[in-house]
């Protein structure tokens, strides 16, 4: 066993020797020939040694203690970099820094060389990564299962303000954190036919796929805080069963000889960018089934090596991250019934008791469904199983005397209206004992909208688990200056029990000396961001200005447009009266648009057009600056979030399922301007509404207005001079003199069909922004609120979220040390 958790497990000298050893024997270099990347690799491998010891301990302990295991199935894991995460959870961060310093290597330089593992699109994928870290910290015996995409989320390049997508190549220089497990591989079938064998009373179905690929396991250890536990993230890579068809090759068909291999390899080639136009494509369904089948085969094998199948729900909990792995319902049934001879009713009982499902969006266009014809062609046995589940489900309702045709249609697994399609949401719902939303409002809306009828039939299934974020990454690593202040004032123990101990900061909010220290901490973080902006964009920022930040995927419902209208209105106000003592502001934007989401790409272009115009207007005397930082990713978030004064969480109420950056900002003591949407609602309860700037229509009000069809804003615009002038400037080409009509249709849309309530909420937003300025002019008030935001953010730890999943859904008890329980 290793050393006590709070002691570094290795001294500087020993760690230095270990790095040198890795440099020599793993990278084949010495001090004189090593390039910075070699140093990165040697350091990562040295850290990895420490993880491996704990990894073995953890695995043995789980086997011995017969703990129930949790499997988190997710098509996305948005991990980011791992060097600092791992070193800091190992307690070796300072050791590594010192060891490298002795060797004449700058730790800050080499940490930047690690590429982000961007195997996810946004919130859903990042949540999966935070959960993996929290599960390891709490000692939940968990495995993550997903796909080892060769190319993660595209790299965003801005050319003349327009987004271009470049292929991302995170594996180019290898990946020191993963272990290829060639011996752990499974066959996954596609297509073919289903044969009935046996006599009538005892018939069984045999699926004969005509296409098979192999899934090869790649394991990444996930280490918890203070080395408590090490779990595994197992990602599957697809490979052809036969790499080369030698007969075809010998016959001269050199391309044909590898065609099968290319097709098989393509399954794990690239992450799908969140995009409705990309949904419904065959390759995506192949990806979903591929990783689900490999994962279920793997976990069933592990289970069966210890226990009989009937104990599956006692020993295994499988969480489906959105509907992307929902085919697991049919695949688990197939494995149990066809491969393990379990009787249908018993198989269904085991399936429902083992699976649970998290919903992450109510947007109708993001709800997955697959054409029946495609399912029949690709997964014929699964389609049969889905029909059977559906028939039994509808029969059971009729037996309960439910005959309402509308209701039966709504709860069916098959959508009959737009060509026949399988509804993956309904499949996940029926096949799970728990269906959860990710914030209180979102869960309520789930009950009222997408799952209204199913909820009526199974009222105990839907429950809420408000999202959280891991404080290790989003506070300790991202904001060492704030963490230092916390440790200085509250003691080292705040790091082990932040959920309770952060509260102790409340008293410090009243002390003016501390508020000044707090301000200085922020000032340092802002200076670091300003240096990056200068380096990347050549723009000078005044760090005394409010850093007003909106960073997230670009989507109309997130309303970057509302923020841009505020930029324009502010610009016009300052120009009209440049001598007034304006509160200086820096508006910071970052985020990617889905490749084929034209409107989102136009919003990026508009942000860049507005930025160029405003930043080059000398009459403003630097009182307003606008920047759009390219290629937003986890690493950039770690720099931007700790430098924010104001966090923009301004989605149309009812549309953001939870949001998680909102929590990261509050934890880092930014004040939030936001709507009562997603987890902003819980934030206002925990933090206190008076320490946030809440504005705009509520979800109910939005709903009423939509139903009344009141989406033409012409009247409202006529009555709001500020809004009218901002819209006119954009429409008239003030920001696009090279193409004056570039935004005419966009503005026309806002005026006559304001689906996202941008105009409808503008005046309220403007008023809330005025309140922001009023607060900012009173530093004592601002910084008191900022400190209270941090002090009261403890509830938003993903440790809290995971404890709730563990207790209510998975029925496992985390085995962490008492002070964190
Ligand atoms: C949809 C699609 C459609 C097909 C192509 C690929 C793809 C990928 C992802 C999605 C759905 C994304 C859903 C999502 O990310 N939801 C976000 O989940 C966060 C974590 O719960 C939550 O904080 C955000 O509010 C929610 O938007």
């Amino acid at each position: 066993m290793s050393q006590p958790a709070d002691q570094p497990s290795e001294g500087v000298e020993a760690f230095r020797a270990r790095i040198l050893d890795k440099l020599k024997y793993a990278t084949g270099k010495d001090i004189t020939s090593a390039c910075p990347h070699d140093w990165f690799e040697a350091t990562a491998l040295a850290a990895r040694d420490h993880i491996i010891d704990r990894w073995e301990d953890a695995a043995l302990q789980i086997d011995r203690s017969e703990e129930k295991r949790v499997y988190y199935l997710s098509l996305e894991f948005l991990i980011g970099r791992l060097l600092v995460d791992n070193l800091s959870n190992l307690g070796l961060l300072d050791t590594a820094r010192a060891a490298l310093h002795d060797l004449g290597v700058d730790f800050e330089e080499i940490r930047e060389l690690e590429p982000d593992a961007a195997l996810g699109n946004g919130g859903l994928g990042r949540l999966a990564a935070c959960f993996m870290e929290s599960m390891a910290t709490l000692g939940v015996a968990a495995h993550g299962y997903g796909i080892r995409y060769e190319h993660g989320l595209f790299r965003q390049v801005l050319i003349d303000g327009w987004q271009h997508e470049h292929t991302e190549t995170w594996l180019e220089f290898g990946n020191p954190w993963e272990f290829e497990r060639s011996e752990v591989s499974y066959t996954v079938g596609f297509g073919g036919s289903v044969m009935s064998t046996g006599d009538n009373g005892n018939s069984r179905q045999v699926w004969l796929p005509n296409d098979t690929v192999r899934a090869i396991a790649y394991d990444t250890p996930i280490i918890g805080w203070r080395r408590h536990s090490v779990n595994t993230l197992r990602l599957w890579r697809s490979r052809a069963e036969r790499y080369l068809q030698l007969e075809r090759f010998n016959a001269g068909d050199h391309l044909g000889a590898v065609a099968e291999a290319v097709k098989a390899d393509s399954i794990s080639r690239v992450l799908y960018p969140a995009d409705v136009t990309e949904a419904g494509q065959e390759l995506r369904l192949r990806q979903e089934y591929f990783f689900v089948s490999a994962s279920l085969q793997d976990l069933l094998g592990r289970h069966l090596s210890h226990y009989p199948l009937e104990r599956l729900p006692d020993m295994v909990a499988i969480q489906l991250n959105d509907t992307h792995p929902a085919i697991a319902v049919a695949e688990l049934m197939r494995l149990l019934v066809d491969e393990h001879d379990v009787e249908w009713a018993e198989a269904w009982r085991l399936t429902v008791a083992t699976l649970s499902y998290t919903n992450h969006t109510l947007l109708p266009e993001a709800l997955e469904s697959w054409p029946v014809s495609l399912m029949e062609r690709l997964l014929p046995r699964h389609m049969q199983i889905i029909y059977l589940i559906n028939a039994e489900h509808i029969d059971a309702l009729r037996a309960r005397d439910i005959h309402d045709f509308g209701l039966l249609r709504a709860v069916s697994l098959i959508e009959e209206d737009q060509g026949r399609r399988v509804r993956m949401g309904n499949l996940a719902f029926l096949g799970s004992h728990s269906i959860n939303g990710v914030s209180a409002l979102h869960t309520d809306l789930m009950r009222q909208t997408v799952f209204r009828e199913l909820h009526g039939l199974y009222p105990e299934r839907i429950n809420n688990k408000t999202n959280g974020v891991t404080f290790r990454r989003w506070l300790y690593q991202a904001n060492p200056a704030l963490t230092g202040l916390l440790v200085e004032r509250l003691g080292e123990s705040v790091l082990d029990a932040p959920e309770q101990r952060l509260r102790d900061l409340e008293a410090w909010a009243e002390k003016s000396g501390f508020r000044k220290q707090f301000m200085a901490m922020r000032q340092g973080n802002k200076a670091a961001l300003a240096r990056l902006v200068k380096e990347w964009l050549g723009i000078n920022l005044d760090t005394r200005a409010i850093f007003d930040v909106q960073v997230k995927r670009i989507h109309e419902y997130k309303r970057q447009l509302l923020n841009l209208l505020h930029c324009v209105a502010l610009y016009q106000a300052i120009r009209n009266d440049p001598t007034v003592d304006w509160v200086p502001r820096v508006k910071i934007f970052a985020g990617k648009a889905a490749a084929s989401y034209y409107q989102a790409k136009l919003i990026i272009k508009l942000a860049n057009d507005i930025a160029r115009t405003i930043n080059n207007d000398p009459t403003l005397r630097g009182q307003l600056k606008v920047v759009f930082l390219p290629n937003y990713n986890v690493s950039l978030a770690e720099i931007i979030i700790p430098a924010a004064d104001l966090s923009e969480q301004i989605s149309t109420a009812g549309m953001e399922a939870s949001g998680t950056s909102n929590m990261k900002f509050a934890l880092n003591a930014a004040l939030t301007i936001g709507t009562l949407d997603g987890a902003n609602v819980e934030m206002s309860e925990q933090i206190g509404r008076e320490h946030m700037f809440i504005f705009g229509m509520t979800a109910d009000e939005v709903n009423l207005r939509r139903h009344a069809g009141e989406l033409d804003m012409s009247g409202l615009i006529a009555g709001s001079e500020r809004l009218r002038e901002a819209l006119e400037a954009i429409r008239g080409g003030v920001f696009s003199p090279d193409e004056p009509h570039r935004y005419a249709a966009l503005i026309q849309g806002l005026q006559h069909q304001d689906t996202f309530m941008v105009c409808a909420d503008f005046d309220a937003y403007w008023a809330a922004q005025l309140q922001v300025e009023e607060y900012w002019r009173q530093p004592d008030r601002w910084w008191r609120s900022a400190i209270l935001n941090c002090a009261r953010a403890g509830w938003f730890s993903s440790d809290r979220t995971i404890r709730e999943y563990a207790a209510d859904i998975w029925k496992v008890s985390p085995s962490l040390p008492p002070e964190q329980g």
Side-chain angles (χ1 to χ4, degrees):
M1 289 295 274
S2 316
Q3 281 73 20
D6 49 352
Q7 297 296 314
S9 48
E10 194 164 51
V12 174
E13 220 164 286
F15 198 72
R16 190 175 56 214
R18 199 184 282 271
I19 293 175
L20 286 173
D21 187 69
K22 297 293 173 193
L23 192 70
K24 182 167 173 191
Y25 295 106
T27 69
K29 297 281 184 73
D30 62 21
I31 294 189
T32 52
S33 60
C35 69
H37 191 272
D38 298 322
W39 285 113
F40 159 70
E41 201 175 318
T43 310
L45 292 174
R48 201 178 76 167
D49 282 0
H50 286 263
I51 304 176
I52 292 172
D53 291 338
R54 303 294 301 191
W55 207 6
E56 282 170 0
D57 288 351
L60 277 175
Q61 198 182 328
I62 294 165
D63 277 351
R64 256 189 253 124
S65 60
E66 308 208 336
E67 275 176 65
K68 183 172 183 178
R69 291 170 193 262
V70 173
Y71 295 99
Y72 199 82
L73 267 60
S74 178
L75 211 45
E76 304 192 6
F77 288 93
L78 188 45
I79 298 166
R81 292 176 177 146
L82 279 176
L83 181 63
V84 177
D85 196 59
N86 284 339
L87 283 172
S88 127
N89 280 6
L90 285 165
L92 285 172
L93 191 56
D94 292 336
T95 308
R97 219 182 276 271
L100 285 166
H101 180 80
D102 291 352
L103 293 162
V105 178
D106 178 8
F107 180 77
E108 295 308 312
E109 186 192 343
I110 66 153
R111 70 183 276 191
E112 306 270 314
L113 297 177
E114 180 176 6
D116 269 40
L119 310 184
N121 274 288
L124 171 148
R126 183 54 233 175
L127 185 75
C130 282
F131 279 7
M132 286 305 298
E133 201 271 356
S134 275
M135 290 190 288
T137 290
L138 295 175
V140 172
H143 291 246
Y145 278 122
I147 295 180
R148 179 184 179 270
Y149 302 106
E150 196 178 323
H151 304 290
L153 187 61
F154 66 84
R155 191 159 55 82
Q156 179 192 53
V157 174
L158 296 176
I159 301 176
D160 194 23
W162 291 102
Q163 170 179 298
H164 292 254
E165 302 84 31
H166 287 202
T167 312
E168 184 281 338
T169 54
W170 70 299
L171 293 170
E172 200 174 13
F173 300 104
N175 174 4
W177 305 115
E178 70 179 7
F179 292 83
E180 181 178 342
R181 306 281 190 215
S182 309
E183 75 287 3
V184 183
S185 83
Y186 299 91
T187 298
V188 178
F190 292 99
S193 55
V194 182
M195 234 177 51
S196 240
T197 63
D199 52 47
N200 261 358
N202 194 15
S203 83
R204 52 182 300 148
Q205 310 299 318
V206 181
W207 176 26
L208 304 167
N210 63 4
D211 216 0
T212 56
V213 300
R214 283 204 84 69
I216 320 279
Y218 284 73
D219 288 351
T220 301
I222 305 290
I223 186 156
W225 174 244
R226 302 270 199 225
R227 293 171 278 145
H228 282 315
S229 189
V230 186
N231 285 332
T232 303
L233 173 61
R234 175 160 282 184
L235 301 178
W236 302 103
R237 176 184 168 202
S238 62
R239 273 251 294 277
E241 300 258 30
R242 286 184 303 173
Y243 207 77
L244 183 77
Q245 291 177 269
L246 206 55
E247 298 105 80
R248 287 181 81 168
F249 187 86
N250 289 340
D253 180 8
H254 298 153
L255 281 181
V258 293
E260 196 184 303
V262 171
K263 190 173 167 203
D265 287 0
S266 69
I267 292 179
S268 60
R269 183 90 66 210
V270 55
L271 167 82
Y272 265 82
D275 190 333
V276 276
T277 64
E278 305 292 336
Q281 284 186 7
E282 182 175 329
L283 182 60
R284 166 103 177 160
L285 181 57
R286 281 184 189 267
Q287 287 187 334
E288 295 183 355
Y289 178 62
F290 164 78
F291 103 96
V292 163
S293 177
S295 308
L296 292 184
Q297 292 183 59
D298 192 46
L299 71 87
L300 275 185
R302 188 176 301 115
H303 175 79
L304 286 170
S305 67
H306 292 92
Y307 313 102
L309 270 179
E310 63 259 30
R311 294 205 60 203
L312 191 69
D314 306 330
M315 302 313 294
V316 168
I318 301 174
Q319 190 70 38
L320 307 178
N321 198 22
D322 216 291
T323 55
H324 315 154
I327 193 66
V329 175
E331 175 68 356
L332 188 52
M333 286 298 285
R334 185 188 74 81
L335 291 168
L336 294 175
V337 173
D338 296 359
E339 311 267 326
H340 294 282
D341 288 322
V342 180
E343 193 243 330
W344 177 274
E346 170 67 357
W348 185 244
R349 185 188 71 79
L350 295 176
T351 297
V352 175
T354 304
L355 296 180
S356 46
Y357 150 59
T358 307
N359 173 282
H360 292 270
T361 178
L362 300 175
L363 294 188
E365 66 269 30
L367 297 176
E368 279 191 304
S369 70
W370 295 102
V372 167
S373 54
L374 174 62
M375 290 281 276
E376 275 171 341
R377 180 162 56 79
L378 221 57
L379 301 170
R381 177 59 182 143
H382 298 79
M383 198 58 235
Q384 281 184 348
I385 289 171
I386 289 168
Y387 277 136
L388 263 172
I389 296 172
N390 204 33
E392 293 208 335
H393 158 58
I394 303 282
D395 284 353
L397 298 183
R398 293 215 172 96
R400 282 165 66 180
D401 229 11
I402 297 169
H403 301 284
D404 175 352
F405 186 65
L407 183 117
L408 294 179
R409 219 162 73 146
V411 300
S412 170
L413 295 184
I414 311 293
E415 144 112 67
E416 308 276 354
D417 291 342
Q418 301 142 19
R420 305 184 68 231
R421 303 176 76 92
V422 181
R423 293 174 171 141
M424 301 311 272
N426 283 13
L427 179 63
F429 190 113
L430 278 184
S432 300
H433 62 283
S434 159
I435 294 91
N436 76 282
V438 290
S439 75
L441 175 62
H442 168 237
T443 301
D444 260 5
L445 292 174
M446 263 169 68
R447 292 190 179 111
Q448 291 168 33
T449 60
V450 265
F451 294 128
R452 182 189 174 85
E453 292 81 6
L454 280 169
H455 171 60
L457 299 174
Y458 301 96
E460 74 297 342
R461 283 198 189 178
I462 296 187
N463 62 93
N464 178 54
K465 296 285 166 282
T466 300
N467 285 166
V469 301
T470 167
F471 289 11
R472 271 74 61 185
R473 182 177 290 264
W474 296 109
L475 178 59
Y476 312 167
Q477 288 170 48
N479 201 342
L482 173 53
T483 307
L485 262 187
L486 295 173
V487 169
E488 182 187 320
R489 299 298 181 175
L490 309 177
E492 185 82 18
S493 67
V494 68
L495 301 178
D496 295 313
E499 289 167 62
Q500 296 93 49
R501 300 294 321 282
L502 273 179
R503 282 265 166 192
D504 299 346
L505 201 61
E506 285 194 19
W508 290 93
E510 311 306 327
K511 301 186 200 290
S512 77
F514 183 73
R515 287 198 292 264
K516 292 217 167 61
Q517 248 192 319
F518 209 82
M519 237 171 107
M521 170 280 293
R522 171 72 48 75
Q523 212 47 38
N525 293 340
K526 287 165 79 172
L529 177 58
R531 278 195 297 277
L532 184 116
V533 169
K534 175 76 186 167
E535 190 187 323
W536 286 14
L537 306 173
I539 298 172
N540 291 313
L541 300 183
D542 174 1
T543 55
R544 288 163 308 175
I546 304 184
F547 276 24
D548 171 350
V549 180
Q550 187 172 22
V551 289
K552 50 184 77 253
R553 289 294 294 238
I554 310 293
H555 204 293
E556 288 161 282
Y557 85 78
K558 296 180 187 280
R559 298 203 293 193
Q560 281 92 356
L561 267 180
L562 181 58
N563 193 350
L564 287 171
L565 281 176
H566 180 246
C567 292
V568 172
L570 204 54
Y571 172 54
Q572 291 173 323
I574 302 175
R575 268 174 65 105
N576 286 343
D577 217 339
T579 56
V580 169
D581 176 27
W582 296 96
V583 173
R585 248 195 228 246
V586 177
K587 288 271 192 183
I588 295 165
F589 294 86
K592 293 176 181 176
S596 61
Y597 189 174
Y598 174 75
Q599 200 76 351
K601 288 182 149 178
L602 190 62
I603 292 170
I604 293 178
K605 173 66 176 161
L606 177 60
N608 281 282
D609 277 345
I610 290 174
R612 191 196 52 242
T613 313
I614 291 181
N615 297 342
N616 292 321
D617 188 330
T619 52
L620 296 187
R621 295 179 297 129
Q623 294 181 99
L624 178 62
K625 285 270 166 76
V626 181
V627 297
F628 191 105
L629 281 159
N631 202 34
Y632 183 58
N633 59 14
V634 173
S635 293
L636 189 53
E638 289 168 11
I639 300 171
I640 294 177
I641 292 171
D645 295 307
L646 185 66
S647 155
E648 299 268 354
Q649 307 297 339
I650 59 176
S651 51
T652 315
M655 302 199 74
E656 187 71 90
S658 160
T660 42
S661 76
N662 45 2
M663 306 167 186
K664 296 166 195 164
F665 280 107
L667 178 65
N668 281 279
L671 269 58
T672 300
I673 183 165
T675 46
L676 280 178
D677 198 16
N680 295 355
V681 177
E682 283 95 323
M683 282 173 54
S684 72
E685 289 161 4
Q686 291 287 326
I687 293 165
R689 232 181 130 128
E690 64 281 20
H691 304 293
M692 297 170 69
F693 306 96
I694 299 288
F695 74 95
M697 296 162 77
T698 61
D700 282 342
E701 288 164 351
V702 169
N703 196 22
L704 281 176
R705 195 152 188 162
R706 285 224 175 106
H707 275 98
E710 291 166 8
L711 299 181
D712 192 305
M713 299 292 146
S714 304
L716 184 139
I717 293 168
S720 168
E721 192 183 340
R722 190 170 286 113
L723 174 59
R724 193 174 65 245
E725 286 179 358
L727 290 170
E728 271 317 313
I730 300 173
R731 189 208 316 266
V734 168
F735 305 98
S736 54
D738 53 324
E739 189 190 345
H741 298 298
R742 184 178 293 144
Y743 303 111
L746 181 88
I747 299 301
Q748 185 83 353
L750 288 184
Q751 178 168 352
H752 297 298
Q753 186 65 34
D754 190 13
T755 318
F756 300 97
M757 313 284 156
V758 172
C759 293
D761 266 345
F762 177 81
D763 283 339
Y765 182 54
W766 176 268
Q769 289 284 17
L770 283 183
Q771 212 194 338
V772 168
E773 290 172 6
E774 197 187 308
Y775 261 61
W776 185 259
R777 288 181 195 280
Q778 307 165 58
D780 280 341
R781 192 169 174 189
W782 182 279
W783 292 102
R784 180 171 175 270
S785 282
I787 295 166
L788 290 179
N789 264 262
C790 174
R792 297 173 180 176
W795 191 76
F796 298 98
S797 163
S798 45
D799 297 356
R800 186 268 312 152
T801 314
I802 288 299
R803 275 199 300 269
E804 290 182 8
Y805 275 84
D808 304 343
I809 303 178
W810 304 330
K811 313 288 181 202
V812 300
S813 13
S815 64
L816 78 171
E819 76 271 15
Q820 286 177 41

